[in-house]
């Protein structure tokens, strides 16, 4: 299959909408990461997503809508007060809510669960595509399973060339990390995947929030997570990643030592560090993660892809604090490292 890459335009969106209606896949920009979309109400189309990504069939997808009114047909209840408050404050935006599902949603989307994940994205091209398709669009991130999520159309092409007919190019994604996934089926909203909508913000909107403790640790043997996505080692660079955490100077000297040891063992090490810390690593090979947690959110997936492209086989990364969007950054980095985190003093 030939993969076409078209800049976002009215005719491109119309063509993409037509492809979705015909059951084909289209990659499209959102404010978080690029999505790989199919008609959410067509089980055969949705199965093509799993094939193109090589995604395990038990990991459910997010249904994307372009207006709040479209929610009712996908869910099987009135949204709770907390859900309403979150929708009012954070939609359109980088937030996904988990509701009891309606029967209109095929099993292929929910992986057989009795809940469905729904998001109203802010990116105008994403919303225009949903409107053009005249259907909700099921879309995971547009990477091959296990690769970092794509934040540019070029990343999508790297992973999906020859597998899908069309990629809409809307430039780099604004947030750079996937949406916050919040379970609103119970009393207090529970964060299953941290993202741009932070726990602090959720607490301010709803008066309370729980963060699932599996967000910052590996799953135990045989443990059934609240969100199937927690099971998989996402965002994995080809090289082994170690995160070094602690006081700034101690971190720099530990990373230098680990880097030099790896080099001595004939490896090709690489450092990921905050911009302002780069001088501490001298002539060692290092990439910038930006200057704070927000920039890191924006850069991290692209840098993990760069690390692969450079053939790095031992990666050492600095950490950031888990306040605000830092929690989402450390969740993605932690999982890329299979939670191999070294603390230094
Ligand atoms: O920002 C985003 O959310 C992007 C863009 C394209 O919208 N999409 C995205 O999709 O990141 P994906 O498939 O890569 O991640 C969806 C996550 C997975 O971890 C999945 O397990 C979880 O949401 N999920 C989906 N449905 C669920 C459900 N019913 N209950 C619990 N977790 C669910
Ligand atoms: Mg994904």
């Amino acid at each position: 299959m030939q993969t076409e890459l078209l800049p976002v335009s009215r005719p491109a969106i119309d063509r993409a909408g037509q492809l979705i209606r015909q059951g084909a896949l289209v990659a499209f920009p959102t404010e978080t990461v690029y999505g790989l979309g199919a008609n959410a109400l067509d089980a055969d189309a949705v199965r093509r997503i799993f094939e193109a990504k090589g995604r395990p069939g038990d990991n459910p997808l997010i249904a994307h809508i372009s207006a709040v009114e479209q929610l009712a047909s996908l869910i099987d209840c009135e949204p709770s007060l907390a859900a309403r408050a979150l929708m009012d404050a954070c939609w359109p935006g980088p937030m996904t809510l988990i509701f009891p599902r309606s029967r209109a949603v095929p099993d292929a989307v929910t992986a057989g669960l009795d809940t469905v994940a729904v998001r109203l994205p802010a990116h105008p091209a994403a919303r225009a595509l949903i409107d053009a398709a005249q259907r909700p669009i099921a879309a995971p991130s547009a990477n091959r399973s296990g690769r970092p999520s794509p934040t540019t159309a070029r990343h999508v092409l790297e992973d999906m060339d020859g597998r899908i007919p069309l990629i809409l190019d809307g430039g780099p994604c604004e947030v750079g990390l996937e949406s916050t996934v919040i379970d609103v089926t119970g009393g207090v909203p529970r964060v299953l995947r941290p993202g741009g909508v932070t726990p602090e913000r959720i607490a301010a909107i709803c008066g309370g929030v729980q963060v699932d403790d599996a967000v910052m640790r590996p799953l135990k043997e045989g443990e059934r997570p609240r969100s199937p996505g927690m099971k998989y080692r996402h965002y994995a660079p080809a090289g082994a990643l170690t995160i070094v955490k602690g006081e700034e100077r101690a971190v720099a000297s530990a990373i230098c030592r680990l880097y030099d040891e790896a080099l001595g063992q004939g490896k090709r090490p690489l450092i990921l560090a905050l911009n302002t810390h780069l001088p501490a690593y001298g002539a060692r090979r290092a990439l910038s993660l930006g200057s704070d947690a927000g920039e890191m959110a924006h850069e991290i997936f692209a840098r993990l892809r760069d690390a692969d492209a450079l053939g790095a086989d031992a990666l050492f990364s600095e950490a950031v604090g888990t306040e605000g969007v830092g929690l989402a950054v450390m969740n993605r980095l932690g999982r890329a490292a299979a939670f191999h985190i070294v603390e230094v003093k």
Side-chain angles (χ1 to χ4, degrees), residues 33 53 55 59 140-143 147 149-150 178 193 234-235:
V33 300
K53 277 185 64 100
R55 180 175 175 107
N59 196 5
S141 48
N143 50 290
R147 295 262 294 151
S149 292
E178 307 88 342
R193 180 177 71 182
H234 289 281
Y235 330 118

Side-chain angles (χ1 to χ4, degrees), residues 322-345:
T322 52
E323 316 75 52
V325 76
L327 181 68
V329 171
M330 289 312 294
N331 164 264
R332 305 309 193 277
L333 202 54
R335 302 188 56 158
F339 290 99
H340 186 221
I341 302 175
V342 176
E343 264 199 85
V344 293
K345 280 205 200 84

Side-chain angles (χ1 to χ4, degrees), residues 189-248:
R190 177 187 284 270
V191 175
L192 302 181
R193 180 177 71 182
V197 173
T198 62
E200 292 88 337
R201 176 128 188 256
I202 300 166
I205 294 164
C206 301
V209 66
Q210 287 182 327
V211 177
D212 199 277
D213 76 324
V215 156
M216 277 313 292
R217 63 166 172 84
L219 287 183
K220 297 179 195 114
E221 190 70 32
E223 178 178 356
R224 241 185 90 202
R226 281 201 171 76
S227 176
M230 290 171 169
K231 263 195 315 226
Y232 299 103
R233 186 182 165 210
H234 289 281
Y235 330 118
L241 169 62
T242 303
I243 300 169
V244 184
K245 203 170 128 179
E247 188 273 319
E248 190 182 315

Side-chain angles (χ1 to χ4, degrees), residues 14 22 33 56 69 98 142-143 167 171 175 226 276 285 313-314 321 334:
D14 289 340
Q22 291 166 350
V33 300
E69 298 72 61
I98 309 282
N143 50 290
I167 301 170
V175 181
R226 281 201 171 76
T276 47
R285 197 158 62 157
D313 54 10

Side-chain angles (χ1 to χ4, degrees), residues 23 65 94 126 151 179 251 343:
I65 55 177
T151 54
S179 61
V251 167
E343 264 199 85

